């Protein structure tokens, strides 16, 4: 009789036959920025996650480095007075986001920094692209996104993160980076980004929810799987270095499909709503937060993601150090 239980009989054996493992080096920690020097503001719907002004940001990055977290993705919270219909602040030399990138790379040369490229933090309407007569303009938006990318590269970013889902933006960004001498700057494309309700707490954090309507004409329909392969094919051909799936948990099948079909690293974004659900249930004492965190991150790796963007990064590092 075949007895699979023999391979589970003690923890050494279980670990010896473990097919997937999880390490801090797989994790990318999202950091929200605040345009004030000393601010540290906790996000209501994301306990333990803050928006940081410059000095607090330095302190946070330093404590993460001590825990072995070396990779970060930065999201700017933009003052209301800088938000306009054309999102001009996104490509302004004055954009404090660029200054933060520069300052971080100067202070911590060994870190890997990933950016966010989309217009929603900067636009008064909260859409990721330019809007005209109620329509989200594609090609006009792509032009701004590729300009943003070059500015971020100039500031020292390592990985460009287009999170907007416009068609053709990866190719346009790649070309613009290359002609400006930034051929070593990578692109992690939000390839299969779904129009998801799981982004709610993130939009609270940045006050970036669309003022009217939704994002369904550019973010993908949660019912679609084959379409993710098409998006992946395009991003791959346009020069993406990583393909990302977002959200992660309701889309493990998509992560798995992409990892079987494309030979570049697959990333997954364990998004704000996924984090908030765990925290809320844990606060009520209904679940064991540590065990659930571990199981969630492991499942995303098992599905085929090499790297995981997750708000749990620091907590995971603390529990495993
Ligand atoms: C915006 C952007 C969003 C997230 C990352 N970049 C929200 C959205 O598309 O509305 C969501 C991340 C999260 O929920 O943790 N381009």
């Amino acid at each position: 009789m075949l007895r699979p239980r023999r391979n589970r009989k003690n923890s050494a054996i279980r670990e010896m036959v473990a097919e997937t493992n999880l390490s801090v080096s797989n994790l990318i920690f999202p950091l929200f920025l605040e345009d004030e020097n000393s601010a540290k503001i906790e996000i209501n719907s994301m306990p333990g996650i803050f928006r940081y002004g410059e000095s607090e940001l330095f302190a946070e990055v330093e404590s993460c480095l001590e825990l072995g977290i070396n990779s970060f993705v930065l999201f700017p919270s933009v003052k209301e007075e800088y938000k306009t219909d054309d999102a001009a602040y996104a490509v302004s030399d004055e954009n404090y986001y660029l200054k933060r990138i520069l300052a971080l790379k100067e202070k911590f040369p060994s870190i890997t920094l990933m950016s966010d490229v989309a217009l929603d933090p900067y636009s008064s309407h909260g859409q990721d692209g330019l809007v005209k007569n109620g329509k989200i303009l594609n090609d006009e938006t792509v032009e701004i996104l590729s300009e943003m990318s070059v500015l971020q590269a100039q500031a020292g970013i390592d990985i460009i993160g287009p999170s907007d889902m416009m068609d053709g933006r990866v190719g346009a960004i790649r070309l613009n980076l290359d002609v400006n001498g930034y051929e070593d700057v990578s692109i992690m494309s939000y390839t299969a980004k779904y129009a998801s309700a799981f982004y709610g707490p993130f939009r609270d954090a940045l006050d970036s929810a669309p003022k009217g309507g939704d994002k369904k004409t550019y973010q993908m329909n949660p019912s679609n799987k084959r379409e993710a392969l098409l998006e992946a094919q395009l991003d791959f051909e346009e020069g993406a270095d990583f393909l990302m799936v977002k959200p992660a948990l309701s889309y493990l099948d998509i992560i798995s499909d992409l990892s079987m079909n494309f030979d570049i690293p697959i990333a997954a974004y364990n998004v704000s709503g996924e984090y908030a659900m765990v925290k809320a249930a844990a606060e009520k004492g209904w679940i064991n937060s540590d065990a659930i965190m571990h199981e969630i991150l492991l499942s995303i790796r098992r599905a085929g993601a090499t790297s995981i963007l997750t708000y749990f990064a620091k907590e995971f590092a603390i529990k495993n150090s």
Side-chain angles (χ1 to χ4, degrees), residues 42 47 73 85 95-96 218 241 301:
E42 190 165 25
V73 53
D85 272 1
N95 186 348
Y96 85 98
Y218 45 106
D241 301 283
R301 290 268 297 134

Side-chain angles (χ1 to χ4, degrees), residues 42-50 275-276 279-280 283 315:
E42 190 165 25
I43 293 144
N44 244 338
S45 45
M46 303 178 74
I49 300 295
F50 299 82
Y275 175 83
K279 289 291 159 195
E283 269 178 19
E315 212 175 315

Side-chain angles (χ1 to χ4, degrees), residues 120 128 163 193 199 202-203 215 219 246 271-272 311:
D120 54 328
D128 290 23
S163 65
K193 176 171 180 180
Y199 308 148
F202 175 97
R203 293 174 184 173
K215 300 191 175 185
Q219 298 181 349
K246 174 182 176 190
V271 298
S272 57
Y311 303 97

Side-chain angles (χ1 to χ4, degrees), residues 111-122:
I111 60 175
T112 293
L113 277 190
M114 172 171 161
S115 69
D116 185 57
V117 176
L119 301 188
D120 54 328
Y122 307 100

Side-chain angles (χ1 to χ4, degrees), residues 138-158:
N138 194 88
D139 299 7
E140 292 82 346
T141 300
V142 168
E143 249 176 68
I144 303 178
L145 300 176
S146 67
E147 200 181 325
M148 276 174 90
S149 303
V150 170
L151 290 172
Q152 294 172 355
Q154 235 161 39
I157 207 79
D158 300 288

Side-chain angles (χ1 to χ4, degrees), residues 47 278-286:
V278 175
K279 289 291 159 195
E283 269 178 19
K284 283 187 169 276
W286 290 350

Side-chain angles (χ1 to χ4, degrees), residues 222-236:
S223 68
N224 291 0
K225 182 183 173 85
R226 293 172 53 250
E227 192 183 349
L229 290 173
L230 171 63
E231 286 285 1
Q233 185 65 36
L234 293 170
D235 285 359
F236 180 76

